[in-house]
Amino acid sequence: MIGLEPRIVCVRTLIRAAEAKSYGNLALHTALAKSNLTPQDKRICTVLFQGTTERLITLDACIRQYAKRDPEQIDLPVRCILRCGIYELLYLHTQEAAVVNLWTESAKVLRKPKAVGFINGVLRGFLRAEKEIPTPKDEIAALSVAYSVPEPLVRQLLADYDKQTVTDFLAQSLGEPPIYLKRNPLACDENDFLTAFAEDTLTPISAVPQAYQLARGGNLSEHEAFQKGLFHVQDLASQLCCLALDAKQGDTVLDVCAAPGGKTFTIAEWMGDSGKILAYDLHPNRVKLIADGAKRLGLNCITAAVGDAANPSPDRPMADRVLCDVPCSGFGVIRRKPEVRYKSLADTAALPAIQLRILEASANAVKAGGVLVYSTCTVAKAENEQVVLKFLETHPDFSLEKPWQDIETLAPYGQEMTTLFPQMLGSDGFFLAKLRRAGGVENA
């Protein structure tokens, strides 16, 4: 049956990822590499896989309503088929009869012939109800179903922010995220860069220098401009973080949790590949990613090395600028990593203590008058403002400073502690605090 093969690959990969409790993107990458799918079928498989993963709570609410039983009581392969089928009926433009036929046929291929009638009945019942998603009466539960975010995370977000901010953030967390590129100004000017993407829609971001939005996805590592070192892929939030650091030519910079290296590269480019950047990561294979990326971009001021941000080497040098982008819950990037939204809050409870330890260790390397930027890709205040305030209680020689005040388009967004949401500038959810150490003379 035409169109069946990519759906079989999708549902089998969903099953494997669920059984292994592993990150789905790795399972999908492996499955696609081993398959004989055409590029178009790979795209179909990817959209179905990522969409089903992202909308899991919404889909399970529909299964619960139209199958008249809890999804966890349904055999895993059948449950995955139902999730995919309902997702396709809700969010894609496939002809409805074809969707029902394809997903009932998939049950036969997966050796679940007894489930064919059940799957057919659930999908057709969903269609008869005009694809209505059940809405719980409870506000927290309703937001959970609407945006496919677990109720504990919804409660945490509402405890930290007003309802409008939360609902706007959650709405922006669904669907295909934007792709942003950071142009390497040492390799090309804007005209050359736009020419390199003549066949694509590439839009400069007026508020963020050297940033562009690309209208398509795909494997950008195969693009000639990538191989020539003209850009690297980087969300706006990370680029803004580097602007907040405001490293000067000739500075010594430490990036203490640097892999895979995007921020390191942007800092080096803003410094004109002068001075010295020491980029550390705990894992040697990730250190290699930084070194390889620097080489591709032609950046010679970067030295990548293994280092523990919480327990740095005693021979680590003092620096004019230190970037401390710490491990975090990742709740700000759920539109890029949909599985993160299902992370248990209990699994993140120990993070603030680790983050504070890294921040304190990083502060020891900041020269008098130097700058320390603390950042995370989460919007959880326990990992953001609360960590910084606790740090300041015992480090009176550091004070908060608003970022980007000399950039007219960005100054209104820069606070003493800045949380970015997608609804602001289009970036991922992100937090940063710029801290300056007392004493010394700031470089000109």
Side-chain angles (χ1 to χ4, degrees):
M1 180 182 291
I2 296 174
L4 184 60
E5 190 173 0
R7 288 165 176 82
I8 294 298
V9 173
C10 171
V11 76
R12 281 178 170 160
T13 308
L14 285 168
I15 293 166
R16 280 196 295 272
E19 289 176 339
K21 296 182 179 179
S22 62
Y23 279 107
N25 61 333
L26 299 176
L28 180 62
H29 178 78
T30 301
L32 292 178
K34 292 180 177 179
S35 75
N36 294 316
L37 296 178
T38 65
Q40 182 179 357
D41 280 350
K42 286 183 179 181
R43 174 65 178 166
I44 292 170
C45 179
T46 299
V47 168
L48 285 167
F49 183 92
Q50 293 179 339
T52 300
T53 301
E54 181 179 78
R55 304 269 188 170
L56 210 56
I57 293 175
T58 308
L59 301 173
D60 279 358
C62 293
I63 292 173
R64 190 174 292 107
Q65 175 79 7
Y66 296 100
K68 305 300 182 185
R69 67 181 75 171
D70 193 278
E72 295 300 319
Q73 296 175 342
I74 300 171
D75 185 49
L76 179 60
V78 177
R79 193 191 325 156
C80 289
I81 290 170
L82 286 172
R83 286 169 172 170
C84 290
I86 292 172
Y87 175 83
E88 191 164 7
L89 288 172
L90 274 173
Y91 303 111
L92 302 186
H93 300 293
T94 317
Q95 203 268 340
E96 291 174 349
V99 173
V100 175
N101 290 337
L102 284 163
W103 289 110
T104 52
E105 189 66 26
S106 71
K108 300 175 186 177
V109 177
L110 293 172
R111 298 180 181 178
K112 297 291 178 180
K114 293 181 180 179
V116 169
F118 173 66
I119 293 167
N120 182 72
V122 173
L123 296 181
R124 292 194 182 280
F126 183 55
L127 288 172
R128 284 194 299 273
E130 297 182 348
K131 300 186 286 191
E132 181 180 356
I133 299 171
T135 301
K137 293 181 180 180
D138 177 75
E139 180 184 59
I140 301 294
L143 288 170
S144 174
V145 169
Y147 299 110
S148 194
V149 173
E151 292 183 25
L153 179 54
V154 175
R155 288 193 192 92
Q156 177 180 291
L157 290 169
L158 288 173
D160 286 346
Y161 304 99
D162 64 88
K163 185 179 177 181
Q164 189 62 57
T165 298
V166 171
T167 53
D168 287 346
F169 169 63
L170 295 178
Q172 293 280 340
S173 74
L174 295 168
E176 192 167 0
I179 298 171
Y180 294 108
L181 309 182
K182 166 64 176 69
R183 174 172 61 87
N184 180 359
L186 307 177
C188 63
D189 60 20
E190 181 166 275
N191 287 335
D192 290 338
F193 190 57
L194 293 175
T195 299
F197 283 88
E199 297 180 1
D200 299 288
T201 301
L202 194 63
T203 306
I205 305 300
S206 59
V208 186
Q210 300 168 10
Y212 303 79
Q213 184 173 352
L214 185 64
R216 69 170 178 89
N219 185 1
L220 289 174
S221 64
E222 297 177 354
H223 199 288
E224 184 180 3
F226 180 88
Q227 295 168 358
K228 288 182 176 180
L230 304 191
F231 73 93
H232 62 277
V233 179
Q234 186 178 37
D235 184 71
L236 291 183
S238 295
Q239 297 186 45
L240 290 166
C241 180
C242 298
L243 282 173
L245 191 69
D246 194 24
K248 311 294 185 182
Q249 290 192 2
D251 275 353
T252 295
V253 176
L254 303 184
D255 188 351
V256 302
C257 302
K263 296 183 187 69
T264 309
F265 307 148
T266 296
I267 295 165
E269 290 166 4
W270 279 112
M271 289 170 61
D273 199 29
S274 67
K276 179 169 61 176
I277 302 178
L278 300 176
Y280 299 105
D281 195 85
L282 193 58
H283 306 288
N285 59 325
R286 289 173 62 79
V287 171
K288 186 176 185 301
L289 291 176
I290 304 169
D292 290 347
K295 182 178 180 180
R296 179 182 63 81
L297 293 161
L299 300 171
N300 300 307
C301 70
I302 297 170
T303 300
V306 174
D308 184 347
N311 298 286
S313 170
D315 62 357
R316 182 183 65 175
M318 299 293 287
D320 304 286
R321 299 286 192 277
V322 176
L323 175 59
C324 183
D325 186 59
V326 297
C328 68
S329 60
F331 291 136
V333 295
I334 56 177
R335 66 180 183 178
R336 298 192 187 278
K337 300 177 180 179
E339 286 142 320
V340 169
R341 68 181 63 214
Y342 309 119
K343 186 182 293 186
S344 167
L345 295 188
D347 293 341
T348 70
L351 285 171
I354 297 169
Q355 292 158 344
L356 180 61
R357 191 160 70 246
I358 293 173
L359 179 56
E360 290 179 327
S362 301
N364 292 332
V366 181
K367 294 179 182 178
V371 169
L372 169 64
V373 169
Y374 173 85
S375 64
T376 74
C377 59
T378 189
V379 294
K381 289 193 175 184
E383 301 177 58
N384 295 341
E385 286 95 331
Q386 292 175 28
V387 171
V388 174
L389 291 173
K390 194 164 186 179
F391 168 81
L392 289 171
E393 286 176 2
T394 54
H395 294 78
D397 54 333
F398 282 87
S399 59
L400 290 163
E401 186 175 290
K402 291 182 178 181
W404 320 313
Q405 294 308 295
D406 58 344
I407 303 175
E408 185 178 351
T409 53
L410 295 177
Y413 298 97
Q415 305 301 315
E416 287 194 337
M417 290 192 280
T418 302
T419 300
L420 296 170
F421 289 97
Q423 57 264 33
M424 294 177 175
L425 291 164
S427 74
D428 293 336
F430 199 84
F431 172 85
L432 66 91
K434 181 177 182 179
L435 299 137
R436 188 175 296 276
R437 191 167 204 171
V441 179
E442 168 69 356
N443 292 341

